[in-house]
Amino acid sequence: IIVNSSNSKKLALWWNRLINRNKRNSQSLFISKKGKTPKQFLIILPEHSTESDLAKRFLRSMRNAMGPAGSNQVRLLGLESVGSLVDSSDFHHYIFFTREDLNRWGTPDKELTYACEKITVDVVLDLNQEFSLFSAALSQIVSAPLRIGFYSKEGKDYYNIMIRRQGEELAESGFKEIFQIIGI
């Protein structure tokens, strides 16, 4: 049972930040010609299957931008229901889970947390257009110096960079902005 009240969500967010505060990586990542550029990416798929088309377009754009080596550099993480709707055959590393892998607060259970703790990447990209509790929790567990998500009030505690959504061309302009940020 997932509890949806705002107070329980705030409590779950607070608890997640408390238990994961020591896992934050303080190592900085420079995106420039002189600094270290990102090489490994984790893409957190949208929570809702209605946004799977957005995820498909983003993955196709990223794969095209990165070339053939991109399939080894990108990892996917998301609900199995959404993962089945996107073409994950081009990517070698992915973790798909079901709602049963979430605890009653909507955050990852112990097994999913353990699997995510093993992931080390340079950039975490959360493709959820609206704030998602489980995606935010997953982004904190994964070891990455740069976390990118779409703007929300709650997101400031989870993401280094937040992208504002504006207008009808939200997806395409968001893709361009993400690619500029990560240097693709």
Side-chain angles (χ1 to χ4, degrees):
I1 299 172
I2 297 178
V3 180
N4 288 330
S5 74
S6 63
N7 289 337
S8 62
K9 187 184 240 186
K10 288 178 185 177
L11 179 63
L13 289 171
W14 172 81
W15 181 253
N16 186 50
R17 280 193 307 269
L18 181 68
I19 63 173
N20 289 311
R21 70 176 174 213
N22 293 332
K23 295 178 186 174
R24 290 186 185 192
N25 191 346
S26 60
Q27 179 185 4
S28 62
L29 181 71
F30 300 96
I31 302 175
S32 70
K33 292 183 180 179
K34 295 180 182 177
K36 180 182 173 187
T37 57
K39 301 246 186 278
Q40 296 290 319
F41 303 90
L42 174 70
I43 298 175
I44 299 176
L45 298 175
E47 177 181 1
H48 302 290
S49 58
T50 55
E51 295 179 3
S52 64
D53 187 46
L54 170 73
K56 274 193 246 182
R57 290 193 325 243
F58 181 83
L59 291 173
R60 192 177 318 120
S61 298
M62 190 162 187
R63 186 181 59 233
N64 291 340
M66 295 179 75
S71 63
N72 287 326
Q73 295 175 300
V74 177
R75 298 168 187 253
L76 303 178
L77 178 63
L79 284 168
E80 192 174 90
S81 59
V82 176
S84 65
L85 297 174
V86 299
D87 185 15
S88 61
S89 63
D90 291 335
F91 301 98
H92 303 296
H93 308 287
Y94 50 85
I95 298 174
F96 295 137
F97 55 90
T98 63
R99 296 255 181 224
E100 287 77 40
D101 295 317
L102 304 177
N103 62 25
R104 67 181 180 167
W105 301 103
T107 58
D109 68 3
K110 289 181 183 181
E111 290 178 26
L112 184 56
T113 299
Y114 182 69
C116 291
E117 285 175 341
K118 293 180 179 179
I119 300 172
T120 302
V121 293
D122 297 324
V123 179
V124 173
L125 301 168
D126 183 357
L127 295 184
N128 283 288
Q129 297 291 304
E130 299 295 325
F131 182 77
S132 168
L133 176 61
F134 81 83
S135 294
L138 290 172
S139 72
Q140 285 299 113
I141 296 168
V142 173
S143 177
L146 184 61
R147 294 176 177 80
I148 301 173
F150 287 94
Y151 181 81
S152 67
K153 287 189 285 185
E154 300 92 352
K156 67 181 179 193
D157 294 324
Y158 295 93
Y159 305 110
N160 305 65
I161 298 174
M162 291 190 293
I163 297 169
R164 287 201 183 267
R165 300 175 298 271
Q166 295 177 350
E168 291 294 318
E169 298 177 4
L170 165 66
E172 310 318 330
S173 64
F175 293 172
K176 290 176 188 174
E177 203 169 322
I178 289 171
F179 290 154
Q180 286 176 348
I181 291 168
I182 61 178
I184 293 180

